[in-house]
Amino acid sequence: MSSKRLALKAVLGTAALAGALAVAGQARAAATIIINNINAPGVGFNDPTPATPVGGNTGTTIGEQRLIAFTYAANIWGATLTSDVPIVVNAQFTPLSCTATSGVLGSAGATQIFRDFANAPKPATWYSYALANRIAGSYLGTLNAPQINSNFNSNLGTTGCLEASGWYYGLDSAEGAKIDFVAVLQHEMAHGLGFQTFTSGTSGAQNGGFPAIWDHFLFGTTAGKLWKDMTNAERTASAISVNGLVWTGQAVTDAVPSVLRLGSAAVAISGAGAGSAAGIYAAGDSTLGPPVLAPSVSGQLMPIGEQAAGTGSGCLAYDARNRKAAFGNIVLVDRGVCTFAVKAKNAQNAGAIGVVIANSTTGVLAPGGADPTVTIPVLGITQADGNTLKAALGLRSRAKSGLIASFTLTGTQYSGADPLGRALMYAPNPFQSGSSVSHLDVSMFRNQLMEPAINADLTQSVLPPIDLTYRLFQDIGWEVAPPAPRAKLSR
Ligand SMILES: [Zn+2]
Protein backbone atom coordinates (compact mmCIF):
# COMPACT_ATOMS: atom_id res chain seq x y z
CA MET A 1 0.00 0.00 0.00
CA SER A 2 1.29 3.42 -0.80
CA SER A 3 1.07 6.25 1.64
CA LYS A 4 -0.02 9.62 0.40
CA ARG A 5 0.57 12.09 3.12
CA LEU A 6 -0.65 15.63 3.49
CA ALA A 7 2.00 17.28 5.54
CA LEU A 8 1.55 20.36 7.63
CA LYS A 9 4.04 23.06 6.98
CA ALA A 10 5.55 24.47 10.11
CA VAL A 11 5.38 28.18 9.74
CA LEU A 12 6.14 30.55 12.44
CA GLY A 13 7.06 34.08 12.93
CA THR A 14 8.57 35.58 9.85
CA ALA A 15 6.64 38.23 8.01
CA ALA A 16 5.98 37.61 4.36
CA LEU A 17 6.05 40.72 2.20
CA ALA A 18 3.05 41.44 0.10
CA GLY A 19 4.72 42.28 -3.18
CA ALA A 20 2.60 42.62 -6.26
CA LEU A 21 -0.32 40.25 -6.11
CA ALA A 22 -0.59 38.14 -9.21
CA VAL A 23 -4.25 37.42 -8.81
CA ALA A 24 -4.99 34.20 -10.57
CA GLY A 25 -8.28 33.16 -9.16
CA GLN A 26 -10.70 34.68 -6.72
CA ALA A 27 -13.43 33.07 -4.73
CA ARG A 28 -16.13 35.54 -3.80
CA ALA A 29 -18.67 34.55 -1.25
CA ALA A 30 -18.95 35.05 2.47
CA ALA A 31 -15.18 35.31 2.53
CA THR A 32 -12.98 36.39 -0.36
CA ILE A 33 -10.01 34.16 -1.04
CA ILE A 34 -7.32 35.47 -3.37
CA ILE A 35 -4.97 32.93 -4.90
CA ASN A 36 -1.49 34.33 -5.31
CA ASN A 37 0.31 32.18 -7.88
CA ILE A 38 4.02 32.41 -7.05
CA ASN A 39 5.28 29.83 -9.54
CA ALA A 40 7.80 31.06 -12.12
CA PRO A 41 6.66 31.28 -15.75
CA GLY A 42 6.40 27.90 -17.45
CA VAL A 43 6.12 25.72 -14.35
CA GLY A 44 3.59 24.66 -11.72
CA PHE A 45 0.45 26.80 -11.93
CA ASN A 46 1.91 28.25 -15.15
CA ASP A 47 2.69 24.89 -16.79
CA PRO A 48 1.80 25.37 -20.52
CA THR A 49 1.62 21.63 -21.28
CA PRO A 50 -1.63 21.02 -23.21
CA ALA A 51 -4.32 19.15 -21.26
CA THR A 52 -7.72 17.73 -22.10
CA PRO A 53 -10.63 19.12 -20.05
CA VAL A 54 -11.60 16.62 -17.37
CA GLY A 55 -14.40 16.19 -14.84
CA GLY A 56 -15.87 19.68 -15.24
CA ASN A 57 -12.47 21.39 -15.36
CA THR A 58 -12.39 23.30 -18.67
CA GLY A 59 -8.69 24.26 -18.59
CA THR A 60 -6.69 23.38 -21.71
CA THR A 61 -3.23 23.45 -20.12
CA ILE A 62 -1.96 21.77 -16.95
CA GLY A 63 -1.39 25.18 -15.37
CA GLU A 64 -4.93 26.37 -16.19
CA GLN A 65 -6.46 23.20 -14.82
CA ARG A 66 -4.50 23.60 -11.58
CA LEU A 67 -5.70 27.18 -11.15
CA ILE A 68 -9.30 26.32 -11.98
CA ALA A 69 -9.22 23.50 -9.41
CA PHE A 70 -7.72 25.86 -6.82
CA THR A 71 -10.41 28.47 -7.47
CA TYR A 72 -13.06 25.78 -7.15
CA ALA A 73 -11.66 24.57 -3.80
CA ALA A 74 -11.23 28.15 -2.57
CA ASN A 75 -14.88 28.79 -3.43
CA ILE A 76 -15.94 25.98 -1.12
CA TRP A 77 -14.11 27.58 1.82
CA GLY A 78 -15.12 31.06 0.71
CA ALA A 79 -18.77 30.08 0.70
CA THR A 80 -18.49 28.38 4.09
CA LEU A 81 -16.52 30.90 6.16
CA THR A 82 -17.16 34.58 6.64
CA SER A 83 -14.57 37.33 6.87
CA ASP A 84 -14.48 41.03 6.07
CA VAL A 85 -10.79 40.70 5.27
CA PRO A 86 -9.70 39.05 2.00
CA ILE A 87 -7.70 35.87 2.55
CA VAL A 88 -4.56 35.85 0.42
CA VAL A 89 -3.06 32.42 -0.29
CA ASN A 90 0.44 31.96 -1.73
CA ALA A 91 0.42 28.87 -3.93
CA GLN A 92 3.10 27.01 -5.82
CA PHE A 93 4.02 23.62 -7.18
CA THR A 94 7.41 22.55 -5.91
CA PRO A 95 9.23 19.23 -5.36
CA LEU A 96 8.22 17.71 -2.01
CA SER A 97 9.63 14.58 -0.38
CA CYS A 98 8.62 11.47 -2.29
CA THR A 99 9.49 7.87 -3.17
CA ALA A 100 7.97 5.42 -5.63
CA THR A 101 5.47 4.23 -3.01
CA SER A 102 4.92 7.13 -0.62
CA GLY A 103 5.13 10.86 -0.62
CA VAL A 104 3.98 14.24 0.59
CA LEU A 105 1.19 15.62 -1.61
CA GLY A 106 1.11 19.12 -0.24
CA SER A 107 1.88 21.27 2.75
CA ALA A 108 0.48 24.53 4.03
CA GLY A 109 0.26 26.76 7.02
CA ALA A 110 -0.18 30.31 8.22
CA THR A 111 2.52 32.78 7.19
CA GLN A 112 2.30 34.58 10.51
CA ILE A 113 0.60 34.22 13.87
CA PHE A 114 -0.90 36.91 16.10
CA ARG A 115 -1.98 37.27 19.71
CA ASP A 116 -3.69 39.94 21.83
CA PHE A 117 -5.14 41.76 18.82
CA ALA A 118 -8.46 43.64 18.84
CA ASN A 119 -11.38 41.40 19.90
CA ALA A 120 -9.09 38.39 20.54
CA PRO A 121 -11.33 35.91 22.40
CA LYS A 122 -8.49 34.40 24.45
CA PRO A 123 -5.65 36.54 25.75
CA ALA A 124 -1.99 35.50 25.39
CA THR A 125 -2.93 32.97 22.70
CA TRP A 126 -1.69 32.56 19.12
CA TYR A 127 -4.13 32.66 16.21
CA SER A 128 -3.36 31.94 12.55
CA TYR A 129 -3.10 35.06 10.39
CA ALA A 130 -6.35 34.63 8.45
CA LEU A 131 -8.33 33.86 11.61
CA ALA A 132 -6.79 36.78 13.50
CA ASN A 133 -7.75 39.12 10.64
CA ARG A 134 -11.27 37.71 10.63
CA ILE A 135 -11.73 38.25 14.35
CA ALA A 136 -10.07 41.68 14.38
CA GLY A 137 -12.13 42.73 11.35
CA SER A 138 -9.11 44.40 9.78
CA TYR A 139 -5.74 43.57 8.26
CA LEU A 140 -3.11 42.92 10.89
CA GLY A 141 0.47 43.45 9.80
CA THR A 142 1.17 44.57 6.25
CA LEU A 143 -1.89 45.34 4.12
CA ASN A 144 -2.56 42.53 1.61
CA ALA A 145 0.22 40.34 3.03
CA PRO A 146 -0.36 36.68 2.17
CA GLN A 147 -1.77 34.86 5.17
CA ILE A 148 -1.28 31.30 3.97
CA ASN A 149 1.61 29.54 2.23
CA SER A 150 0.74 26.40 0.29
CA ASN A 151 2.91 23.97 -1.67
CA PHE A 152 1.95 21.05 -3.88
CA ASN A 153 4.20 18.24 -5.07
CA SER A 154 5.37 18.93 -8.63
CA ASN A 155 6.91 15.47 -8.98
CA LEU A 156 3.77 13.46 -8.25
CA GLY A 157 3.24 10.76 -10.86
CA THR A 158 6.77 10.97 -12.26
CA THR A 159 9.45 8.29 -11.97
CA GLY A 160 10.37 7.78 -8.32
CA CYS A 161 7.42 9.74 -6.90
CA LEU A 162 4.21 7.74 -6.45
CA GLU A 163 4.71 6.95 -10.09
CA ALA A 164 1.65 4.73 -10.32
CA SER A 165 -0.48 7.72 -9.37
CA GLY A 166 -0.68 11.37 -10.42
CA TRP A 167 -2.85 14.43 -9.92
CA TYR A 168 -6.52 14.44 -10.93
CA TYR A 169 -7.70 17.95 -11.81
CA GLY A 170 -11.39 17.20 -12.35
CA LEU A 171 -13.90 18.93 -10.06
CA ASP A 172 -16.13 15.88 -9.60
CA SER A 173 -14.23 13.67 -7.09
CA ALA A 174 -13.91 10.97 -9.80
CA GLU A 175 -10.18 10.57 -9.29
CA GLY A 176 -10.10 6.76 -9.56
CA ALA A 177 -6.54 5.64 -8.80
CA LYS A 178 -5.22 9.20 -9.05
CA ILE A 179 -5.00 11.86 -6.32
CA ASP A 180 -7.91 14.30 -6.10
CA PHE A 181 -6.26 17.74 -6.30
CA VAL A 182 -9.44 19.50 -5.11
CA ALA A 183 -9.47 17.42 -1.90
CA VAL A 184 -5.78 18.15 -1.31
CA LEU A 185 -6.41 21.86 -1.85
CA GLN A 186 -9.33 21.86 0.59
CA HIS A 187 -7.16 20.07 3.15
CA GLU A 188 -4.13 22.33 2.80
CA MET A 189 -6.20 25.52 2.85
CA ALA A 190 -7.79 24.32 6.08
CA HIS A 191 -4.35 24.11 7.69
CA GLY A 192 -3.61 27.63 6.57
CA LEU A 193 -6.95 28.87 7.90
CA GLY A 194 -6.06 27.60 11.37
CA PHE A 195 -6.26 23.81 11.48
CA GLN A 196 -2.90 23.50 13.25
CA THR A 197 -1.14 24.09 16.52
CA PHE A 198 1.89 26.36 16.82
CA THR A 199 3.26 24.39 19.77
CA SER A 200 5.99 21.81 19.15
CA GLY A 201 4.84 18.23 19.49
CA THR A 202 8.40 16.94 19.83
CA SER A 203 9.73 19.31 22.50
CA GLY A 204 6.40 20.41 23.91
CA ALA A 205 7.61 24.00 23.77
CA GLN A 206 5.07 26.73 23.14
CA ASN A 207 5.87 29.34 20.51
CA GLY A 208 7.42 32.24 22.41
CA GLY A 209 5.91 30.85 25.59
CA PHE A 210 2.27 31.21 24.48
CA PRO A 211 -0.25 28.49 23.55
CA ALA A 212 -2.10 28.31 20.23
CA ILE A 213 -5.90 28.59 20.25
CA TRP A 214 -5.70 24.90 19.17
CA ASP A 215 -4.18 24.07 22.58
CA HIS A 216 -7.29 25.41 24.38
CA PHE A 217 -9.30 22.48 22.98
CA LEU A 218 -6.66 19.73 22.74
CA PHE A 219 -6.96 17.43 25.77
CA GLY A 220 -4.65 14.64 26.89
CA THR A 221 -6.64 11.93 28.64
CA THR A 222 -3.60 10.55 30.52
CA ALA A 223 -2.61 13.83 32.15
CA GLY A 224 -6.25 14.91 32.28
CA LYS A 225 -5.28 18.37 31.10
CA LEU A 226 -5.64 20.68 28.11
CA TRP A 227 -2.46 21.23 26.09
CA LYS A 228 -2.34 24.86 27.21
CA ASP A 229 -2.10 23.73 30.83
CA MET A 230 0.42 20.89 30.42
CA THR A 231 4.14 20.83 31.04
CA ASN A 232 6.36 20.32 28.00
CA ALA A 233 6.92 16.70 29.06
CA GLU A 234 3.17 16.09 29.34
CA ARG A 235 2.61 17.53 25.87
CA THR A 236 5.30 15.37 24.23
CA ALA A 237 3.88 12.28 25.97
CA SER A 238 0.32 13.04 24.85
CA ALA A 239 1.50 13.68 21.27
CA ILE A 240 2.43 9.99 20.98
CA SER A 241 -0.40 8.60 23.15
CA VAL A 242 -2.22 6.99 20.16
CA ASN A 243 -5.75 7.09 21.60
CA GLY A 244 -5.09 9.61 24.35
CA LEU A 245 -5.49 12.92 22.54
CA VAL A 246 -8.99 14.32 22.01
CA TRP A 247 -10.70 17.54 20.91
CA THR A 248 -12.95 19.07 23.58
CA GLY A 249 -14.51 21.88 21.51
CA GLN A 250 -18.28 21.87 21.85
CA ALA A 251 -19.11 22.32 18.17
CA VAL A 252 -17.10 19.25 17.14
CA THR A 253 -18.33 17.15 20.06
CA ASP A 254 -21.95 18.03 19.27
CA ALA A 255 -21.42 16.95 15.64
CA VAL A 256 -19.72 13.60 16.37
CA PRO A 257 -22.98 11.58 16.57
CA SER A 258 -24.14 12.82 13.16
CA VAL A 259 -20.78 12.39 11.41
CA LEU A 260 -19.07 9.33 12.88
CA ARG A 261 -20.48 5.83 12.81
CA LEU A 262 -21.72 4.33 16.07
CA GLY A 263 -19.86 1.05 16.49
CA SER A 264 -17.10 -0.51 14.42
CA ALA A 265 -17.28 -2.95 11.52
CA ALA A 266 -17.40 -6.67 12.27
CA VAL A 267 -18.06 -10.01 10.61
CA ALA A 268 -20.53 -12.14 12.55
CA ILE A 269 -20.16 -15.90 11.95
CA SER A 270 -23.06 -18.25 12.63
CA GLY A 271 -24.74 -21.28 11.06
CA ALA A 272 -24.85 -25.03 11.50
CA GLY A 273 -21.30 -25.52 10.25
CA ALA A 274 -19.71 -22.77 12.31
CA GLY A 275 -19.00 -24.79 15.44
CA SER A 276 -16.46 -23.08 17.66
CA ALA A 277 -15.78 -20.52 14.93
CA ALA A 278 -19.14 -18.86 15.64
CA GLY A 279 -18.76 -15.35 16.98
CA ILE A 280 -18.06 -11.72 16.19
CA TYR A 281 -14.81 -10.90 14.36
CA ALA A 282 -13.41 -7.36 14.40
CA ALA A 283 -13.14 -6.04 10.86
CA GLY A 284 -11.41 -3.18 9.10
CA ASP A 285 -13.32 -0.88 6.75
CA SER A 286 -12.37 -0.70 3.10
CA THR A 287 -12.35 2.27 0.76
CA LEU A 288 -13.73 -0.17 -1.84
CA GLY A 289 -17.46 -0.75 -2.23
CA PRO A 290 -20.22 0.73 -0.06
CA PRO A 291 -19.37 1.54 3.58
CA VAL A 292 -20.81 -0.71 6.26
CA LEU A 293 -22.96 1.82 8.13
CA ALA A 294 -25.48 -0.69 9.51
CA PRO A 295 -25.99 -4.47 9.42
CA SER A 296 -25.36 -5.24 5.76
CA VAL A 297 -25.02 -8.37 3.62
CA SER A 298 -25.39 -11.88 4.99
CA GLY A 299 -24.67 -15.17 3.23
CA GLN A 300 -22.68 -18.39 3.05
CA LEU A 301 -18.97 -17.75 3.65
CA MET A 302 -17.04 -19.50 0.88
CA PRO A 303 -13.32 -20.13 0.44
CA ILE A 304 -11.85 -19.60 -3.01
CA GLY A 305 -9.81 -22.55 -4.24
CA GLU A 306 -6.44 -22.36 -5.92
CA GLN A 307 -6.46 -21.92 -9.68
CA ALA A 308 -2.71 -21.47 -9.99
CA ALA A 309 0.13 -20.94 -7.55
CA GLY A 310 -0.73 -18.10 -5.16
CA THR A 311 -4.21 -17.48 -6.48
CA GLY A 312 -6.21 -18.52 -3.41
CA SER A 313 -5.87 -14.77 -3.07
CA GLY A 314 -8.60 -14.31 -5.67
CA CYS A 315 -6.38 -12.51 -8.14
CA LEU A 316 -7.47 -14.36 -11.29
CA ALA A 317 -10.87 -14.27 -12.94
CA TYR A 318 -12.74 -17.09 -11.20
CA ASP A 319 -12.90 -20.47 -12.90
CA ALA A 320 -16.17 -22.45 -13.04
CA ARG A 321 -15.65 -24.09 -9.65
CA ASN A 322 -14.90 -20.80 -7.89
CA ARG A 323 -17.79 -19.05 -9.67
CA LYS A 324 -20.11 -21.67 -8.26
CA ALA A 325 -18.68 -21.07 -4.78
CA ALA A 326 -18.90 -17.29 -5.05
CA PHE A 327 -22.31 -16.82 -6.67
CA GLY A 328 -24.74 -15.25 -4.20
CA ASN A 329 -22.28 -15.81 -1.36
CA ILE A 330 -19.57 -13.99 0.60
CA VAL A 331 -16.04 -15.01 -0.36
CA LEU A 332 -13.00 -15.29 1.90
CA VAL A 333 -9.67 -14.52 0.21
CA ASP A 334 -6.13 -13.91 1.42
CA ARG A 335 -4.22 -10.65 1.23
CA GLY A 336 -1.37 -10.58 -1.27
CA VAL A 337 -0.34 -11.14 -4.91
CA CYS A 338 -2.63 -8.41 -6.31
CA THR A 339 -4.46 -5.27 -5.13
CA PHE A 340 -7.56 -5.34 -2.95
CA ALA A 341 -9.46 -3.72 -5.82
CA VAL A 342 -8.65 -6.66 -8.12
CA LYS A 343 -9.78 -9.17 -5.48
CA ALA A 344 -13.04 -7.29 -4.93
CA LYS A 345 -13.75 -6.97 -8.64
CA ASN A 346 -13.05 -10.64 -9.40
CA ALA A 347 -15.43 -11.68 -6.60
CA GLN A 348 -18.09 -9.25 -7.80
CA ASN A 349 -17.76 -10.47 -11.38
CA ALA A 350 -18.39 -14.01 -10.13
CA GLY A 351 -21.62 -12.92 -8.44
CA ALA A 352 -20.38 -12.61 -4.83
CA ILE A 353 -22.37 -10.30 -2.53
CA GLY A 354 -19.45 -9.45 -0.23
CA VAL A 355 -15.72 -10.00 0.25
CA VAL A 356 -13.73 -10.77 3.41
CA ILE A 357 -9.96 -10.36 3.04
CA ALA A 358 -7.69 -12.02 5.61
CA ASN A 359 -4.51 -10.18 6.53
CA SER A 360 -1.05 -11.66 5.85
CA THR A 361 0.55 -9.92 8.82
CA THR A 362 -0.47 -8.75 12.30
CA GLY A 363 -3.44 -6.47 12.86
CA VAL A 364 -6.91 -5.96 11.49
CA LEU A 365 -6.71 -5.32 7.75
CA ALA A 366 -8.38 -2.18 6.36
CA PRO A 367 -8.32 -2.86 2.60
CA GLY A 368 -7.48 0.35 0.74
CA GLY A 369 -7.56 1.27 -2.92
CA ALA A 370 -10.05 2.82 -5.28
CA ASP A 371 -12.37 1.35 -7.91
CA PRO A 372 -15.76 3.03 -8.28
CA THR A 373 -17.08 0.00 -10.16
CA VAL A 374 -16.89 -2.13 -6.99
CA THR A 375 -20.44 -2.17 -5.65
CA ILE A 376 -20.28 -4.99 -3.08
CA PRO A 377 -19.06 -4.38 0.49
CA VAL A 378 -15.51 -5.36 1.45
CA LEU A 379 -14.09 -5.91 4.95
CA GLY A 380 -10.68 -6.99 6.24
CA ILE A 381 -9.92 -9.26 9.21
CA THR A 382 -6.80 -10.42 11.05
CA GLN A 383 -4.59 -13.21 9.74
CA ALA A 384 -5.37 -15.28 12.85
CA ASP A 385 -9.13 -14.91 12.36
CA GLY A 386 -8.68 -15.80 8.70
CA ASN A 387 -6.94 -19.01 9.72
CA THR A 388 -9.71 -19.83 12.22
CA LEU A 389 -12.37 -19.39 9.55
CA LYS A 390 -10.43 -21.36 6.94
CA ALA A 391 -10.01 -24.24 9.42
CA ALA A 392 -13.75 -24.19 10.13
CA LEU A 393 -14.58 -24.08 6.42
CA GLY A 394 -12.43 -27.19 5.84
CA LEU A 395 -13.66 -29.37 3.01
CA ARG A 396 -17.17 -28.08 2.49
CA SER A 397 -19.30 -28.57 -0.53
CA ARG A 398 -18.83 -26.07 -3.30
CA ALA A 399 -22.24 -24.46 -3.08
CA LYS A 400 -22.74 -24.24 0.69
CA SER A 401 -20.30 -24.04 3.57
CA GLY A 402 -22.73 -24.01 6.48
CA LEU A 403 -20.97 -20.92 7.82
CA ILE A 404 -23.05 -17.77 7.57
CA ALA A 405 -21.13 -14.48 7.49
CA SER A 406 -22.95 -11.24 8.23
CA PHE A 407 -21.41 -7.78 7.85
CA THR A 408 -22.44 -5.85 10.93
CA LEU A 409 -21.41 -3.33 13.59
CA THR A 410 -20.23 -3.96 17.13
CA GLY A 411 -19.65 -1.78 20.18
CA THR A 412 -21.12 1.46 21.47
CA GLN A 413 -18.26 3.82 20.66
CA TYR A 414 -18.22 6.22 17.71
CA SER A 415 -15.57 5.24 15.14
CA GLY A 416 -12.82 7.78 15.74
CA ALA A 417 -14.07 9.11 19.08
CA ASP A 418 -13.14 8.24 22.67
CA PRO A 419 -15.61 6.57 25.09
CA LEU A 420 -16.96 10.03 26.01
CA GLY A 421 -17.73 10.83 22.37
CA ARG A 422 -14.89 13.31 21.86
CA ALA A 423 -13.12 13.31 18.48
CA LEU A 424 -9.72 11.56 18.52
CA MET A 425 -6.78 13.55 17.27
CA TYR A 426 -3.86 11.95 15.42
CA ALA A 427 -1.21 10.93 17.98
CA PRO A 428 0.78 7.99 16.56
CA ASN A 429 3.89 6.58 18.19
CA PRO A 430 6.51 7.41 16.99
CA PHE A 431 5.76 11.07 16.34
CA GLN A 432 5.15 11.93 12.67
CA SER A 433 6.49 15.34 11.86
CA GLY A 434 3.98 17.37 9.88
CA SER A 435 1.13 14.98 10.70
CA SER A 436 0.87 14.37 14.45
CA VAL A 437 -1.41 16.53 16.63
CA SER A 438 -2.70 18.84 13.87
CA HIS A 439 -4.96 16.24 12.20
CA LEU A 440 -8.02 14.17 13.03
CA ASP A 441 -7.29 10.52 13.79
CA VAL A 442 -7.11 7.92 11.01
CA SER A 443 -9.64 5.72 12.87
CA MET A 444 -12.47 8.07 11.93
CA PHE A 445 -15.29 6.56 9.94
CA ARG A 446 -16.58 7.93 7.76
CA ASN A 447 -13.21 9.23 6.57
CA GLN A 448 -12.54 12.88 7.24
CA LEU A 449 -10.97 15.63 5.12
CA MET A 450 -8.49 16.44 7.89
CA GLU A 451 -7.03 13.00 8.45
CA PRO A 452 -3.27 12.99 7.73
CA ALA A 453 -3.58 10.98 4.50
CA ILE A 454 -6.09 11.48 1.76
CA ASN A 455 -8.83 8.88 1.32
CA ALA A 456 -10.55 8.13 -1.97
CA ASP A 457 -14.07 8.45 -0.54
CA LEU A 458 -14.05 12.16 0.40
CA THR A 459 -16.99 14.17 -0.96
CA GLN A 460 -15.85 17.86 -0.87
CA SER A 461 -18.29 18.60 1.97
CA VAL A 462 -16.76 20.24 5.04
CA LEU A 463 -19.99 20.12 7.02
CA PRO A 464 -21.97 17.58 9.08
CA PRO A 465 -23.25 14.97 8.46
CA ILE A 466 -20.19 14.38 6.26
CA ASP A 467 -17.31 16.24 7.84
CA LEU A 468 -16.11 17.85 11.09
CA THR A 469 -13.71 20.48 9.71
CA TYR A 470 -16.08 23.45 9.75
CA ARG A 471 -17.27 22.58 13.25
CA LEU A 472 -13.66 22.67 14.45
CA PHE A 473 -13.29 26.09 12.84
CA GLN A 474 -16.31 27.21 14.84
CA ASP A 475 -14.59 26.02 18.01
CA ILE A 476 -11.41 28.02 17.38
CA GLY A 477 -13.31 31.22 16.61
CA TRP A 478 -13.98 31.30 12.87
CA GLU A 479 -17.73 31.36 13.32
CA VAL A 480 -20.17 31.47 16.14
CA ALA A 481 -22.34 28.36 16.22
CA PRO A 482 -26.01 29.21 15.65
CA PRO A 483 -27.93 29.44 18.92
CA ALA A 484 -30.02 26.44 19.88
CA PRO A 485 -33.67 26.88 18.92
CA ARG A 486 -35.66 28.40 21.73
CA ALA A 487 -39.20 27.42 22.53
CA LYS A 488 -41.54 30.38 22.31
CA LEU A 489 -44.27 30.85 24.81
CA SER A 490 -47.57 31.83 23.33
CA ARG A 491 -49.34 34.59 25.15
ZN1 LIG B 1 -2.58 17.89 6.67
Side-chain angles (χ1 to χ4, degrees):
M1 285 228 332
S2 59
S3 110
K4 295 153 187 168
R5 221 152 55 80
L6 299 148
L8 174 72
K9 189 177 178 186
V11 238
L12 304 172
T14 49
L17 292 176
L21 287 184
V23 178
Q26 187 160 314
R28 265 194 197 286
T32 300
I33 298 177
I34 297 170
I35 299 161
N36 190 26
N37 170 8
I38 58 171
N39 266 131
V43 299
F45 284 103
N46 303 318
D47 188 332
T49 308
T52 306
V54 57
N57 188 327
T58 57
T60 55
T61 68
I62 296 285
E64 274 179 18
Q65 291 194 351
R66 288 170 169 175
L67 283 172
I68 286 170
F70 206 147
T71 305
Y72 179 87
N75 268 317
I76 295 172
W77 278 124
T80 308
L81 301 171
T82 60
S83 180
D84 293 336
V85 182
I87 299 164
V88 182
V89 184
N90 275 349
Q92 64 177 333
F93 271 76
T94 189
L96 299 175
S97 72
C98 211
T99 70
T101 55
S102 73
V104 174
L105 301 174
S107 68
T111 55
Q112 298 184 65
I113 54 179
F114 291 84
R115 61 177 170 82
D116 299 306
F117 47 86
N119 310 320
K122 307 271 188 197
T125 295
W126 294 117
Y127 289 79
S128 67
Y129 199 166
L131 175 54
N133 278 352
R134 187 262 184 246
I135 293 170
S138 63
Y139 247 105
L140 304 171
T142 310
L143 186 66
N144 290 334
Q147 297 133 40
I148 296 173
N149 269 332
S150 64
N151 294 276
F152 305 94
N153 198 334
S154 56
N155 287 337
L156 185 72
T158 64
T159 304
C161 181
L162 290 168
E163 54 203 51
S165 191
W167 291 114
Y168 178 73
Y169 300 117
L171 312 179
D172 56 357
S173 299
E175 69 271 21
K178 291 191 169 185
I179 308 285
D180 187 5
F181 188 46
V182 168
V184 172
L185 288 160
Q186 287 183 283
H187 178 107
E188 298 302 343
M189 267 190 282
H191 282 312
L193 291 164
F195 205 104
Q196 64 178 140
T197 184
F198 304 111
T199 300
S200 168
T202 47
S203 71
Q206 294 174 330
N207 192 288
F210 297 99
I213 184 61
W214 193 262
D215 307 349
H216 286 255
F217 301 100
L218 194 63
F219 184 83
T221 56
T222 302
K225 292 180 187 175
L226 292 167
W227 254 40
K228 72 179 180 68
D229 300 321
M230 287 184 182
T231 63
N232 288 1
E234 287 170 334
R235 276 190 283 269
T236 56
S238 76
I240 53 170
S241 61
V242 185
N243 288 324
L245 198 58
V246 300
W247 186 262
T248 58
Q250 198 60 48
V252 168
T253 303
D254 286 350
V256 160
S258 69
V259 174
L260 300 182
R261 179 182 62 191
L262 185 60
S264 50
V267 179
I269 298 294
S270 60
S276 62
I280 304 282
Y281 294 79
D285 293 298
S286 178
T287 49
L288 297 161
V292 178
L293 298 171
S296 168
V297 293
S298 186
Q300 300 276 332
L301 183 69
M302 298 299 293
I304 294 306
E306 298 288 334
Q307 293 177 214
T311 56
S313 325
C315 291
L316 298 179
Y318 288 14
D319 61 14
R321 191 183 61 168
N322 280 335
R323 281 202 305 276
K324 188 177 176 191
F327 190 81
N329 295 328
I330 293 172
V331 300
L332 173 64
V333 296
D334 288 328
R335 180 181 191 174
V337 184
C338 62
T339 65
F340 301 127
V342 168
K343 295 171 195 289
K345 198 60 190 289
N346 282 337
Q348 177 174 309
N349 287 344
I353 60 170
V355 183
V356 178
I357 304 176
N359 209 348
S360 56
T361 181
T362 53
V364 176
L365 174 66
D371 181 349
T373 67
V374 172
T375 57
I376 60 174
V378 179
L379 290 175
I381 58 174
T382 67
Q383 184 177 28
D385 288 347
N387 289 338
T388 299
L389 293 177
K390 279 186 275 186
L393 286 164
L395 298 172
R396 308 284 178 182
S397 83
R398 287 288 159 188
K400 280 189 175 179
S401 67
L403 269 74
I404 305 299
S406 303
F407 287 12
T408 187
L409 299 176
T410 183
T412 56
Q413 206 164 316
Y414 291 100
S415 292
D418 79 345
L420 297 180
R422 299 174 296 195
L424 287 170
M425 306 305 286
Y426 189 53
N429 188 6
F431 189 87
Q432 288 188 20
S433 181
S435 294
S436 293
V437 182
S438 292
H439 289 93
L440 300 176
D441 190 57
V442 293
S443 63
M444 292 203 164
F445 194 87
R446 65 174 53 232
N447 286 320
Q448 296 290 297
L449 175 65
M450 295 313 290
E451 291 181 34
I454 192 162
N455 286 291
D457 56 352
L458 299 177
T459 68
Q460 301 181 353
S461 171
V462 295
L463 300 168
I466 304 295
D467 195 74
L468 295 168
T469 311
Y470 175 71
R471 289 287 181 262
L472 188 141
F473 280 155
Q474 290 183 311
D475 281 332
I476 63 174
W478 262 103
E479 310 290 335
V480 177
R486 272 186 220 164
K488 277 187 182 170
L489 295 174
S490 55
R491 282 185 282 179

